[in-house]
Amino acid sequence: MSLLELQKELRKFNQASKLTGALDDVDRLIECLVNAREEVAAANESHTTSLTLTKLQNPVSAQLDAINSDLGRVHKSQNAFHKALSRAFKESKGTLPTDHDPMSSQTALINRAIVMHLLREGQFEVASTFIGEAQPQSETSQTSSQPRQPPPSITISRPDTPSDPMITDADIPSDLSAFRSQELQERFASMYSILASIRRRNLYPAIEWARVNSPELEARGSNLEFELCKLQFIWLFKGPLVNGLPATMDNGVPGALKYARENFKRFQGRHLREIERLSCSLVYSPNLGESPYRTIFDISLAFDEVASSFTREFCSLIGLSAESPLYVAATAGALALPNLVKWTSINKAKNTEWTTQNELAFETPLPKSMLYHSIFVCPVSRGQTTDANPPVMLPCGHVLARESLQKLAKGSRYKCPYCPSEGIVKDAREIIL
């Protein structure tokens, strides 16, 4: 079973395994029993008591049957998902070849990936211990005794602040002791502190960070600061019964209106339409659930989504990928391993080998979030583009491989093979997938 099929089974399980129906039936049963008890207590007659209990039998029996039916559906969905998991993670028959280990000569690369993962997770003491044990003492002492060049870095500079060198994913130093940088640890500690505040539904630290870094975020086309302010507006709009904040004029609808007046003005250039919708929603505050703006105020997943966006933007500004490369590589490998074992076993039985380098003989079942290198097949040559033969887009919008365009060209001009357009070869633009 592929990962996509397992995700479909998980969605079915989430929909069918909810206990809402059973809880509603239990509440109705309790209400029925309470009403019967009050009726008996008010009448205080044996005849009324007997009649009430007789009338109670059928409703109680029906409610119990409904509860059992609800629980039966949940149990059935659990069994179905258990079978899906068993099929997806069944023991693979066969083994992978061990005569060639491409990572055996990449110990330093693996160690650096482990250190970066520990730092990303906020495990600074564990990372320091790992560095001390993974790097030989002689190297550590030699490195500390000699003047060391500053690690390769990128700089996020502002006119009013000094340059701030950071370690990046793309250019990581070979000396593991460079990861003991107090500055790097403070950056990640700051990130986890802000994430902890978001989980507590306190958005102000994240908003302040986004405001300080707004020039860099706007240059990247990020909407993080506005999304944080928008969520804060909605959180205040919900009022003290939902957000648990003090019932003052800074909370509820008055607090949301005050917050909008103080913070939304600077976003009017890019987000005027959304600000207008948020403002109009105030009119429907007494009956928001029946208003056309009810979807805006569904924030069941909003805090998790804004936390992910914050993590992505934070790591991007210091030159790191949003997710740990070690986690992505290990997860992708675990997902692809069963197919790889099966393919290896088939090849071994047929006494054949796959000779093509840099690609596999089968599609690796990975989610979209792990697909980084898209493939383009030229519709003219039917061949896959490469770095030496990249895809190019013609002014008419059609895309083909550069070598195909050169073969179609007569001198410096060409005619598009898919439309009547003609043009000059130099006008074709290389595209990056």
Side-chain angles (χ1 to χ4, degrees), residues 25-26 28-29 32 55-70:
D25 289 331
V26 170
R28 283 191 287 269
L29 177 58
C32 182
K55 292 180 179 179
L56 194 63
Q57 291 180 358
N58 289 336
V60 169
S61 178
Q63 291 298 330
L64 289 175
D65 290 341
I67 294 172
N68 289 330
S69 177
D70 294 332

Side-chain angles (χ1 to χ4, degrees), residues 134-373:
Q135 185 160 286
Q137 187 65 27
S138 59
E139 291 185 18
T140 306
S141 59
Q142 182 180 1
T143 303
S144 59
S145 63
Q146 296 179 356
R148 188 170 62 237
Q149 296 294 328
S153 63
I154 67 170
T155 299
I156 304 173
S157 59
R158 303 184 191 90
D160 57 338
T161 57
S163 59
D164 197 4
M166 291 298 298
I167 298 174
T168 69
D169 278 337
D171 206 358
I172 297 176
S174 58
D175 181 14
L176 292 181
S177 60
F179 291 101
R180 285 175 170 164
S181 166
Q182 185 68 22
E183 177 192 349
L184 184 62
Q185 295 185 12
E186 288 177 355
R187 287 291 184 95
F188 280 113
S190 173
M191 183 184 76
Y192 280 102
S193 175
I194 294 175
L195 287 174
S197 298
I198 294 176
R199 285 193 289 270
R200 295 193 300 267
R201 303 301 191 257
N202 179 12
L203 296 173
Y204 288 112
I207 293 173
E208 179 61 25
W209 179 90
R211 191 158 293 164
V212 171
N213 294 276
S214 60
E216 292 83 2
L217 293 173
E218 291 178 2
R220 289 171 45 82
S222 172
N223 297 326
L224 177 62
E225 185 181 1
F226 175 72
E227 293 299 328
L228 287 167
C229 292
K230 174 184 172 181
L231 183 56
Q232 181 63 29
F233 169 87
I234 296 174
W235 190 238
L236 292 174
F237 185 96
K238 295 286 186 178
L241 294 179
V242 176
N243 58 36
L245 299 175
T248 64
M249 292 303 294
D250 292 330
N251 197 5
V253 175
L257 181 58
K258 179 182 177 182
Y259 184 84
R261 288 173 175 171
E262 294 175 351
N263 295 274
F264 281 172
K265 184 177 180 180
R266 59 193 303 265
F267 300 112
Q268 289 182 3
R270 294 179 58 187
H271 305 285
L272 181 59
R273 177 61 177 167
E274 290 186 67
I275 293 173
E276 290 175 344
R277 295 191 67 193
L278 291 172
S279 302
C280 292
S281 65
L282 295 173
V283 180
Y284 292 88
S285 57
N287 192 23
L288 188 63
E290 302 297 328
S291 74
Y293 303 100
R294 60 184 179 276
T295 55
I296 302 177
F297 289 81
D298 181 10
I299 57 173
S300 55
L301 301 176
F303 283 93
D304 292 335
E305 291 174 352
V306 82
S308 299
S309 298
F310 167 77
T311 303
R312 181 171 60 253
E313 297 296 345
F314 188 100
C315 291
S316 296
L317 288 190
I318 63 175
L320 301 175
S321 57
E323 292 188 1
S324 165
L326 179 64
Y327 167 79
V328 173
T331 304
L335 295 174
L337 191 60
N339 284 358
L340 186 60
V341 170
K342 181 179 179 180
W343 173 78
T344 303
S345 301
I346 294 174
N347 271 4
K348 186 176 181 180
K350 294 182 178 180
N351 198 22
T352 59
E353 293 183 358
W354 180 254
T355 58
T356 303
Q357 295 182 350
N358 300 326
E359 65 179 66
L360 294 174
F362 54 87
E363 184 71 20
T364 307
L366 297 177
K368 291 183 179 180
S369 60
M370 293 184 180
L371 299 179
Y372 303 101
H373 305 287

Side-chain angles (χ1 to χ4, degrees), residues 88-159:
F89 296 101
K90 62 183 179 181
E91 183 179 357
S92 300
K93 297 180 180 179
T95 57
L96 292 174
T98 57
D99 52 344
H100 174 64
D101 183 6
M103 299 303 293
S104 59
S105 59
Q106 303 293 336
T107 303
L109 179 63
I110 297 173
N111 288 341
R112 293 201 297 271
I114 294 173
V115 172
M116 285 302 299
H117 179 78
L118 292 173
L119 291 177
R120 285 168 177 271
E121 295 298 316
Q123 303 292 334
F124 305 126
E125 294 184 3
V126 179
S128 180
T129 302
F130 179 83
I131 291 171
E133 296 183 359
Q135 185 160 286
Q137 187 65 27
S138 59
E139 291 185 18
T140 306
S141 59
Q142 182 180 1
T143 303
S144 59
S145 63
Q146 296 179 356
R148 188 170 62 237
Q149 296 294 328
S153 63
I154 67 170
T155 299
I156 304 173
S157 59
R158 303 184 191 90

